[in-house]
Amino acid sequence: GAVVSQHPSWVICKSGTSVKIECRSLDFQATTMFWYRQFPKQSLMLMATSNEGSKATYEQGVEKDKFLINHASLTLSTLTVTSAHPEDSSFYICSATVLGPKNEKLFFGSGTQLSVL
Amino acid sequence: GESVGLHLPTLSVQEGDNSIINCAYSNSASDYFIWYKQESGKGPQFIIDIRSNMDKRQGQRVTVLLNKTVKHLSLQIAATQPGDSAVYFCAENSETGGFKTIFGAGTRLFVKA
């Protein structure tokens, strides 16, 4: 149980285009999902908290107009990187919480490697 | 976004030896701590967790130690195997900012056969 599916696994796009990444909880309902990004040889940095049916909460320094998050159902959150540029190239990882209101135990997707040319 | 540190130290151990990976966390209000294992190109995988009212917790071949006085966590892996080679992250969760998990710097573990 507690499987999080992330799609696509990798994507290459041209500068200026938009890319959508999907995160699905396959066997549970996730009212809260989290989006992280990870640069090579670095840690995971929290970008935003995605709440079903409401606006996402973004971390300081993360542009909400550039990284659009939609959490329209209890099993799906999407991250859209708008007008992507080479500096947006990174590994994006989503996670969902299963137990309780403290969002403690996270299950992670397999990540999406984004390369912007 | 938040992150605790941006460096990735490396630990190299011989197969069969015990490994100790250390982590310093940032928020004294954190009350839940987790160790994750991340293999190349994959998402993090849960290993073991511990709450702030404990100082030690054991799992299968792994032990987590928590020292709240100095805000330090450690992960001990017994009889390290080649399959343990990965990057290990500590993470902390607190009510600060709304119950979110913040990751530490990570340590790359190499297991030599």
Side-chain angles (χ1 to χ4, degrees):
Chain A
V3 177
V4 175
S5 174
Q6 189 172 340
H7 179 81
S9 299
W10 57 271
V11 57
I12 301 172
C13 70
K14 293 182 178 180
S15 185
T17 61
S18 295
V19 174
K20 179 185 283 188
I21 302 169
E22 292 187 348
C23 181
R24 295 181 184 271
S25 56
L26 296 187
D27 49 2
F28 65 99
Q29 293 183 330
T31 55
T32 303
M33 292 185 177
F34 299 90
W35 287 95
Y36 292 82
R37 69 187 296 183
Q38 185 179 30
F39 292 109
K41 298 183 180 181
Q42 293 189 16
S43 185
L44 282 74
M45 294 182 64
L46 181 64
M47 298 176 67
T49 302
S50 171
N51 301 297
E52 186 268 335
S54 64
K55 291 182 179 180
T57 303
Y58 290 82
E59 294 299 303
Q60 188 175 5
V62 178
E63 299 176 59
K64 63 180 181 180
D65 295 329
K66 178 157 189 70
F67 299 100
L68 300 179
I69 291 172
N70 184 280
H71 195 155
S73 78
L74 287 171
T75 59
L76 174 65
S77 175
T78 61
L79 169 69
T80 301
V81 183
T82 62
S83 186
H85 291 283
E87 58 265 29
D88 298 323
S89 298
S90 186
F91 192 53
Y92 293 87
I93 311 170
C94 72
S95 67
T97 182
V98 178
L99 300 173
K102 292 187 176 182
N103 303 326
E104 289 178 339
K105 197 157 187 176
L106 299 182
F107 293 88
F108 287 83
S110 53
T112 298
Q113 181 63 53
L114 170 63
S115 297
V116 185
L117 304 178
Chain B
E2 298 182 53
S3 179
V4 182
L6 295 175
H7 304 287
L8 198 62
T10 299
L11 174 66
S12 183
V13 300
Q14 198 69 39
E15 180 180 3
D17 288 352
N18 297 332
S19 302
I20 299 176
I21 300 171
N22 296 302
C23 172
Y25 64 91
S26 62
N27 187 353
S28 56
S30 294
D31 56 6
Y32 178 66
F33 304 88
I34 319 99
W35 279 99
Y36 289 96
K37 172 185 181 182
Q38 185 182 31
E39 296 177 332
S40 181
K42 298 183 179 179
Q45 177 186 359
F46 173 89
I47 300 174
I48 191 168
D49 57 3
I50 188 168
R51 296 196 177 278
S52 58
N53 60 354
M54 303 173 67
D55 53 22
K56 181 179 180 179
R57 188 158 188 241
Q58 288 184 293
Q60 187 177 10
R61 278 201 313 119
V62 293
T63 301
V64 56
L65 299 178
L66 172 62
N67 185 330
K68 295 183 290 294
T69 303
V70 294
K71 294 191 287 186
H72 184 269
L73 271 171
S74 69
L75 176 70
Q76 300 177 0
I77 304 174
T80 314
Q81 303 168 359
D84 295 326
S85 294
V87 178
Y88 290 81
F89 292 99
C90 67
E92 57 186 302
N93 181 294
S94 72
E95 189 175 356
T96 307
F99 295 117
K100 51 193 179 184
T101 297
I102 303 302
F103 279 73
T107 297
R108 180 174 297 279
L109 176 66
F110 283 111
V111 181
K112 296 175 288 186

